[in-house]
Amino acid sequence: MPYFFCIFASSNPIKMKQLCINYKKCDSIEADICLPASKSIANRALVVASLGDFVELLDNLSDCDDTHAVINALSSKTTTPNIGAAGTAMRFLTAYYAQKAGEWQLSGSERMHQRPIGILVEALRLLGADITYMGKEGFPPLCINGKRLQGGEISLSGGVSSQYISALLMIAPLMQNGLVLHLTDKVVSIPYIRMTLSMMNYFGVKSTFDGRTIQIAPQLYQPARFVVENDWSAASYWYAVVALHPNATIRLSYLLKDSWQGDAKVASLFEPLGVKTTFNEKGIEIRRVSGPQLSYYDCDLSDQPDLAQTLVVVCLLLGVPFKFSGLSNLKIKETDRIAALVTECRKMGFVLQEEAEGVLVWKGEKVSAVQPICIDTYEDHRMAMAFAPAALVLGRICINNPMVVTKSYPQFWEEFSKIITFVE
């Protein structure tokens, strides 16, 4: 028998300002859940296929705001694309338009114009790009005079967003001299870099990567049919549901064991929290097999920063103190995710500390929870989805601006409705 939630909200989900979830305990959870296609893979595939002129060969593209932003920009004849709040689109399209003949004005939402892009712009300029800022130095919107780039050899900190690096890599084969990219400092989010290189290789572009230096010679992308796999990041919220219920089994479709996605590590990260993953022909089955198997969770999430919010909420509600490091990049996401987590978790009664740059710690300290608990989402889809399963333990929680989930998982609440009851 499925568990029961009561949701009190507007009958029009698009205009919904708050979603309040009341949980009534039940013996078991069992459900088949549909996941969105990976937006990380879809967005890379769209840029690569556009560079090679074979977009029609892509299947199972992600149905989310970020991917729609890339599709709309690439398919439109406008020279003034506005990508809204889609950070991936801003980084990838900055590089894409830098090599595409024409004059372009690339803009986004108010928050997007507060997210730095100077490192990527400077790297592109060193490779021959003509880009100027239309507003504040180092931030969008951008004016881009596109042309074939000279390319060459440059150095870039490996501690910057992997999206900057991927943006450069995807256009590298079209540069006159190709690209030799030296990564300095600690390299973070390596799985996303390898994802980009793997996709480029799938479409015929060869490269070398020794962990520090990436070399890509001038060459052409080769057309091939490609099916985007489902999103492991989206799967993490269902791992949270299973971890927080004593008797839960959920089946998730089209997740690959040998995935290019770094967030596929969610399976091993949730294992010590009592969740077992079994692969089958259709995808995976996850089920709760025990309570937490550790008394303190110390983990470097440099390669999986998008899982931080989910793991933080789950560990707090399971009573597992933690130290999650490698989170510096969370400050330049849709919001400052570290500050957001500290603020919203305190509403639930938990005191978190940023012990050092990018290191988030909970030592077990608690305060009285605020009632009612209303979680602000800061225009960040992952805040909404990471905190929603908290109702399983807290009994009641409200999510402000719940439809922010459309950024990556538009059907999230619809999928929740398979195991909840919505009540006006």
Side-chain angles (χ1 to χ4, degrees), residues 392-419:
L392 285 161
V393 175
L394 300 177
R396 175 183 171 89
I397 192 169
C398 297
I399 307 296
N400 294 331
N401 189 22
M403 296 314 296
V404 71
V405 299
T406 60
K407 181 174 176 61
S408 64
Y409 197 166
Q411 293 80 33
F412 180 73
W413 300 117
E414 180 181 345
E415 290 303 305
F416 250 48
S417 73
K418 293 181 178 179
I419 49 177

Side-chain angles (χ1 to χ4, degrees), residues 278-289:
T278 303
F279 287 86
N280 54 52
E281 293 180 355
K282 296 182 179 180
I284 64 170
E285 179 182 271
I286 54 176
R287 61 188 180 92
R288 170 80 175 265
V289 295

Side-chain angles (χ1 to χ4, degrees), residues 14 69 82-83 98 115 157-158 196 223 278 281 286 288 338 378 412:
I14 300 302
N82 184 317
I83 51 75
R115 298 177 68 177
S157 171
T196 302
T278 303
E281 293 180 355
I286 54 176
R288 170 80 175 265
I338 291 180
Y378 305 85
F412 180 73

Side-chain angles (χ1 to χ4, degrees), residues 117 140 248:
I117 200 165

Side-chain angles (χ1 to χ4, degrees), residues 16-30:
M16 191 185 301
K17 293 183 178 180
Q18 187 180 79
L19 195 62
C20 293
I21 309 170
N22 289 328
Y23 171 63
K24 181 179 180 180
K25 290 184 179 180
C26 70
D27 294 334
S28 64
I29 297 172
E30 184 169 357

Side-chain angles (χ1 to χ4, degrees), residues 309 330 335-347 352 360 375-378 380 383 387:
Q309 289 141 296
L330 293 190
T335 185
D336 180 340
R337 287 177 173 170
I338 291 180
L341 280 169
V342 171
T343 299
E344 302 310 309
C345 290
R346 192 178 185 92
K347 292 178 180 178
L352 278 60
L360 194 58
I375 301 298
D376 289 318
T377 51
Y378 305 85
D380 185 347
M383 289 295 289
F387 278 86

